[in-house]
Amino acid sequence: MAAAADSSGDGGTSSGEKTIVLVSSDNSARFEVREAAALLSQTVRRMIDEAGADASGDGITLPDVDAKTLAKVLEYCNKHAPASSSSSAAEAAPPAEGEEDLERFDREFVRVDMGTLYSLVTAASYLKIEGLLNLTCQTIADMIKGKTPEQIRKTLGITSEFTPEEEDEVRRENAWAF
Amino acid sequence: MSLKNIVRELKEMRDGIGSMSRRGGSGSDGRAGHGRSGSRHSWPSLWAEQQQQQRQGQEGPQHQHQHQGRWANLPPELLLDVIQRVESSEATWPARRQVVACAAVCRSWREVTKEVVKTLEECGRITFPISLKQPGPRELPVQCFVRRERATSTYLLYLGLSPSMNVENDKLLLAARKVRRATRTSFVISLVSDDFSHSSSTYVGKLKPNFLGTKFTIFDSQHPPDAVVLPNNKPSKRQSKQVSPRLPLGNYNVATVTYELTVLRNRGPRRMQCTMHSIPAECIQEGGKAPTPTGTIQSLDEPVSTSPSTKGKKVAVEFSSTSLSADLSGPACSNETPLVLKNKAPRWHEQLQCWCLNFRGRVTVASVKNFQLVASVDPSLNIPAAEQEKVILQFGKIGKDIFTMDYRYPLSAFQAFAICLTSFDTKPACE
């Protein structure tokens, strides 16, 4: 668990870089992260813009993201955050790490169970973190490839719930396609 | 409300409300019972339902067992993103079957997949069986080949330039079998190569010659959709997908193919003419649109008979009787000016002493069966010359029992295949 935020206004790292405190949905965890990392989330960025300086003081609560998921998401953000701390440059500056290193990180990052993957993709969508959203959606797409409908259902825990007529259609299509 | 509209609305709502939870509160329910899997529920009311669940404190920690139900509730915009990725990367067969697999997972996946997949004309890719009844792309033709199996009088249409080394990789599109009856033969066309029964759900249509073998009628088991002809405007996106009329399966006369000898009789090529009753001539004008069925092939939309054992199949049997009188032998659509296709006249090559057509390498063996069809249009329709020159269907031999078939807009694979089959059946009167 990250250290509690400095309650006297904007927090800061030892190097003096601006930090932001993000709080998980159940209020159980507070994370202090570099501003550049937090701003990878368009949702956080907008919350700060709209709420003003106050938001950073008490920490920004994210009602849709639990502690475990938020920790994982911030792991991504910290890795992918640009080197520069100034918010205007956050979009333009490249990440601090090298390209290959990031790719390796991403590959390992998504080696998680289906429950975590679900939490990650929905969190990425809610937080509007483009890179993470692309990564998780692509992971799911790649997971689907090569699977039959039954295998897809099994992996994702989905039941088909087709009517008998729909079943007939589906069977006919699959007989033709496979 | 189309799914795309739902997705857009959902995004707007989420942006507006900001930090409201989107995820289903009661994740322990594994069934897709929240209504996300069908588009029948209106999304705004579903949203309110979830907000209530939030307030009741149902949102709990992410237990492992709860993930079983969660994927069924994957937000539609994320499902759309994922399926779009699959669709765009699995472009060619056999990999494209993955898209069909996505449409078979559950209702919401089916809906999203059908929304993502464009018509053949729009994307140039054959995906579902219905693609076989949709017009081909306007510019680049769809390239196929036909294999004739003499032993069983079967003709198999595959997607691809020519047979590949590994027959597993060849995508079978349609199959036809010559069926001999008391008075004459006919061709039955099916989605699979091992079932040519009229009452089967894989039955697609048939081809019947007249007694002399000079005229053929093509029957489609589904009634073609009405044409949307807009010669003066660009067709709007909304009109690009038409729902097939909800008519029972039967045998609908969609085209007539006739053969004639020229004055040279057996020493010259035949003259072919195809009258496409279901395609209006105007559809090859700028901005014109040929009928494009969507939905599913063979969809039994009518409420079916009361007999529990035969269910939907009973309807098909009643209509597609093998006796001649049951066929709806008049043209299926009241079409003022049906599109007429004629074969391009070959040129006599003095040096080679043979009749020649430029098949652009796709036909390599001389045969009376080889042909190219172009549109034959009335000057009043103002079709540009370049359009009139376009070869809409090309068929020809490349080896023993192997033929290539290239077709494009406004013909569909089914129509093209049926026309090519006539080439196999012309009688001595024509040869």
Side-chain angles (χ1 to χ4, degrees):
Chain A
M1 203 85 85
D6 180 336
S7 57
S8 58
D10 293 350
T13 60
S14 51
S15 60
E17 202 187 323
K18 189 165 182 232
T19 60
I20 289 176
V21 173
L22 297 172
V23 186
S24 67
S25 59
D26 48 2
N27 249 302
S28 65
R30 297 170 71 84
F31 300 89
E32 185 181 349
V33 288
R34 281 169 51 218
E35 188 188 48
L39 291 183
L40 282 182
S41 159
Q42 295 302 312
T43 304
V44 168
R45 187 185 283 267
R46 204 199 58 224
M47 280 169 159
I48 291 174
D49 288 345
E50 285 174 2
D54 220 29
S56 305
D58 295 334
I60 299 170
T61 304
L62 303 169
D64 215 11
V65 192
D66 66 63
K68 178 176 168 234
T69 308
L70 187 53
K72 189 95 175 128
V73 168
L74 292 178
E75 195 189 313
Y76 177 90
C77 291
N78 281 323
K79 186 77 177 176
H80 279 259
S84 158
S85 61
S86 87
S87 56
S88 59
E91 285 182 59
E97 317 282 345
E99 190 79 31
E100 241 180 67
D101 188 42
L102 282 176
E103 277 172 19
R104 211 176 314 129
F105 170 84
D106 286 353
R107 269 198 299 276
E108 276 310 304
F109 186 78
V110 285
R111 283 200 192 187
V112 291
D113 60 72
M114 296 308 294
T116 308
L117 185 59
Y118 184 91
S119 301
L120 281 175
V121 72
T122 47
S125 176
Y126 165 65
L127 292 170
K128 293 203 179 124
I129 302 172
E130 194 181 323
L132 184 58
L133 188 58
N134 279 333
L135 176 60
T136 46
C137 284
Q138 192 58 52
T139 303
I140 299 167
D142 290 341
M143 202 172 283
I144 288 169
K145 289 180 207 168
K147 288 193 165 66
T148 65
E150 186 50 47
Q151 288 169 335
I152 295 172
R153 276 184 231 127
K154 220 183 194 133
T155 307
L156 302 183
I158 296 174
T159 49
S160 71
E161 290 206 337
F162 284 127
T163 65
E165 285 77 33
E166 286 168 329
E167 279 287 354
D168 281 344
E169 266 174 36
V170 164
R171 203 178 309 122
R172 197 184 315 124
E173 271 173 17
N174 280 266
W176 174 82
F178 281 81
Chain B
M1 220 193 207
S2 84
L3 194 65
K4 278 222 166 88
N5 286 337
I6 293 168
V7 168
R8 203 176 356 105
E9 264 210 33
L10 204 58
K11 284 183 185 163
E12 284 167 26
M13 284 165 74
R14 190 190 64 203
D15 292 346
I17 292 169
S19 57
M20 283 299 189
S21 169
R22 261 187 306 104
R23 284 203 297 246
S26 48
S28 56
D29 182 354
R31 292 170 296 123
H34 290 287
R36 276 194 187 275
S37 57
S39 67
R40 318 289 172 245
H41 296 254
S42 82
W43 290 102
S45 59
L46 181 64
W47 184 282
E49 199 181 294
Q50 285 178 341
Q51 284 179 310
Q52 223 189 7
Q53 285 166 349
Q54 289 304 112
R55 280 186 234 117
Q56 282 161 14
Q58 287 196 349
E59 183 185 65
Q62 317 308 310
H63 293 309
Q64 184 61 26
H65 75 268
Q66 278 198 338
H67 101 261
Q68 289 299 318
R70 302 168 72 194
W71 287 98
N73 292 331
L74 185 67
E77 67 268 23
L78 296 181
L79 183 58
L80 185 68
D81 189 316
V82 169
I83 292 181
Q84 276 173 334
R85 285 167 192 265
V86 174
E87 193 276 336
S88 72
S89 77
E90 313 303 275
T92 55
W93 288 88
R96 196 135 181 93
R97 64 173 66 142
Q98 197 61 61
V99 181
V100 180
C102 286
V105 171
C106 67
R107 211 181 275 146
S108 60
W109 281 55
R110 191 166 182 71
E111 235 172 68
V112 173
T113 309
K114 297 253 170 178
E115 183 68 32
V116 165
V117 173
K118 299 191 171 51
T119 66
L120 176 59
E121 186 189 339
E122 288 168 333
C123 71
R125 297 170 185 173
I126 288 178
T127 316
F128 295 104
I130 197 72
S131 312
L132 303 172
K133 296 229 173 140
Q134 295 177 340
R138 284 189 198 237
E139 292 312 322
L140 297 175
V142 178
Q143 296 176 304
C144 310
F145 64 89
V146 176
R147 180 185 285 125
R148 168 172 53 184
E149 290 182 353
R150 289 183 195 259
T152 52
S153 302
T154 307
Y155 302 81
L156 304 169
L157 176 72
Y158 294 92
L159 184 65
L161 293 173
S162 57
S164 58
M165 296 303 284
N166 183 2
V167 79
E168 295 281 297
N169 289 334
D170 288 338
K171 171 75 197 106
L172 179 73
L173 299 178
L174 292 167
R177 179 162 286 169
K178 201 186 246 186
V179 175
R180 283 175 183 80
R181 303 229 173 268
T183 50
R184 66 187 69 175
T185 63
S186 67
F187 288 84
V188 175
I189 302 173
S190 164
L191 287 178
V192 294
S193 59
D194 52 5
D195 187 352
F196 292 96
S197 157
H198 279 75
S199 56
S200 170
S201 59
T202 53
Y203 172 77
V204 166
K206 66 181 178 185
L207 178 69
K208 281 169 74 167
N210 66 354
F211 183 68
L212 290 174
T214 53
K215 180 174 153 179
F216 298 79
T217 309
I218 300 176
F219 294 92
D220 189 333
S221 66
Q222 275 175 296
H223 194 286
D226 295 325
V228 175
V229 179
L230 303 167
N232 298 316
N233 327 317
K234 286 265 176 252
S236 70
K237 274 227 159 60
R238 198 162 296 142
Q239 284 171 307
S240 66
K241 284 203 170 174
Q242 301 156 279
V243 178
S244 289
R246 299 188 172 227
L247 292 170
L249 294 177
N251 279 303
Y252 299 93
N253 178 345
V254 293
T256 310
V257 183
T258 55
Y259 284 85
E260 266 174 20
L261 294 176
T262 63
V263 290
L264 294 168
R265 298 200 57 85
N266 292 328
R267 287 176 288 120
R270 315 175 284 195
R271 201 180 283 153
M272 243 177 109
Q273 179 171 300
C274 305
T275 308
M276 311 303 300
H277 308 301
S278 61
I279 306 178
E282 294 88 355
C283 78
I284 60 172
Q285 283 178 337
E286 174 93 34
K289 193 108 188 65
T292 305
T294 54
T296 45
I297 212 168
Q298 301 293 109
S299 57
L300 300 171
D301 286 313
E302 296 291 274
V304 292
S305 72
T306 51
S307 163
S309 56
T310 49
K311 258 190 134 212
K313 297 210 167 144
K314 190 157 195 258
V315 178
V317 169
E318 278 168 7
F319 277 89
S320 64
S321 149
T322 52
S323 81
L324 300 171
S325 56
D327 294 336
L328 304 169
S329 45
C333 312
S334 54
N335 200 342
E336 295 279 304
T337 47
L339 179 68
V340 174
L341 303 176
K342 291 207 160 107
N343 64 329
K344 215 167 176 174
R347 295 214 176 92
W348 176 253
H349 198 291
E350 196 56 49
Q351 264 189 322
L352 294 175
Q353 286 288 301
C354 68
W355 295 98
C356 292
L357 277 172
N358 181 6
F359 287 100
R360 293 174 209 279
R362 287 285 287 151
V363 176
T364 52
V365 178
S367 165
V368 69
K369 294 180 179 45
N370 301 345
F371 65 81
Q372 281 182 328
L373 293 182
V374 295
S376 165
V377 281
D378 197 288
S380 68
L381 286 179
N382 286 324
I383 312 276
E387 199 66 36
Q388 295 190 50
E389 286 293 300
K390 266 188 183 162
V391 174
I392 292 175
L393 173 60
Q394 174 176 290
F395 178 72
K397 197 168 188 178
I398 55 169
K400 184 174 185 340
D401 296 326
I402 303 279
F403 302 78
T404 57
M405 178 188 103
D406 296 350
Y407 75 97
R408 53 145 67 103
Y409 179 91
L411 286 185
S412 68
F414 166 70
Q415 292 158 345
F417 186 43
I419 294 171
C420 292
L421 288 172
T422 65
S423 199
F424 285 107
D425 201 45
T426 48
K427 296 290 185 297
C430 268
E431 292 186 15

